[in-house]
Amino acid sequence: MSESMEPKRSNLSEEAGNHQQMATVERRSDDRDGSLWASYKQTQDPNLRNILIEKYMPLVRSIAERVYHGLPRSVELDDLISAGTFGLMDAIEGFDLSRGIKFRTYCSTRVRGSILDDLRSQDWVPRLVRTKKSRLEKSIRQAEAELGRTATDL
């Protein structure tokens, strides 16, 4: 392999320095976010709310993509992102600065829940029916494993 084709490797001290820089940037961002949140909570300014929405949209997209990978092809990613955005807006309205938790932590749960609620509302099969179907399929797989053949009702 020629020298130009070899992957570049950084040494550990460079990586540690990069992590420290990233942590410093995150702390600065958290400080700015704190003042942004304080201003928004005092004024309820829609422009500040929009800034917060824009800031956390990548988180909504990330959560929607994770949920999307376990779903049938008939479900569209944009629909999940839309439902997640409503969860984000609810999270912004309901976030309490005085509790001392990070917004990302609070928001992640709300966004994922909003996406799942939307999926449940679109599903025409009740959860109980799906649960029974899963149990039946599991029982059939166990019987086939024990019998060493295809399970039948005879």
Side-chain angles (χ1 to χ4, degrees):
M1 199 180 237
S2 69
E3 196 173 308
S4 63
M5 297 294 286
E6 290 181 19
K8 294 182 180 181
R9 296 184 180 161
S10 61
N11 63 32
L12 292 176
S13 63
E14 284 179 10
E15 287 182 22
N18 288 340
H19 288 297
Q20 287 174 344
Q21 287 175 343
M22 288 171 58
T24 302
V25 168
E26 271 186 35
R27 277 194 299 273
R28 286 184 194 149
S29 176
D30 287 346
D31 291 344
R32 277 185 251 134
D33 285 351
S35 62
L36 178 62
W37 274 106
S39 297
Y40 172 69
K41 287 299 181 178
Q42 284 179 343
T43 64
Q44 296 291 312
D45 182 4
N47 293 325
L48 294 176
R49 186 197 65 201
N50 292 341
I51 291 169
L52 289 168
I53 290 171
E54 288 176 19
K55 176 176 177 36
Y56 292 103
M57 276 306 291
L59 177 63
V60 171
R61 182 172 184 83
S62 168
I63 294 168
E65 286 173 348
R66 277 187 273 144
V67 171
Y68 177 73
H69 288 295
L71 298 173
R73 292 179 186 249
S74 60
V75 177
E76 293 193 24
L77 179 61
D78 289 340
D79 292 338
L80 300 181
I81 292 172
S82 237
T85 303
F86 285 111
L88 172 62
M89 293 186 321
D90 289 342
I92 289 171
E93 293 302 317
F95 184 60
D96 185 2
L97 284 169
S98 65
R99 290 191 161 198
I101 61 169
K102 288 187 177 182
F103 178 72
R104 292 178 73 84
T105 305
Y106 175 75
C107 175
S108 295
T109 305
R110 296 290 298 261
V111 167
R112 190 175 189 322
S114 181
I115 290 171
L116 294 177
D117 286 346
D118 186 62
L119 286 170
R120 284 187 195 114
S121 73
Q122 294 176 18
D123 191 5
W124 57 273
V125 178
R127 287 174 72 181
L128 182 61
V129 173
R130 288 201 188 275
T131 303
K132 286 181 179 181
K133 177 185 174 241
S134 296
R135 286 182 189 159
L136 179 62
E137 288 173 345
K138 183 180 178 184
S139 297
I140 291 171
R141 284 193 307 272
Q142 285 176 339
E144 289 175 346
E146 289 174 12
L147 297 172
R149 62 178 174 82
T150 303
T152 62
D153 58 344
L154 296 177

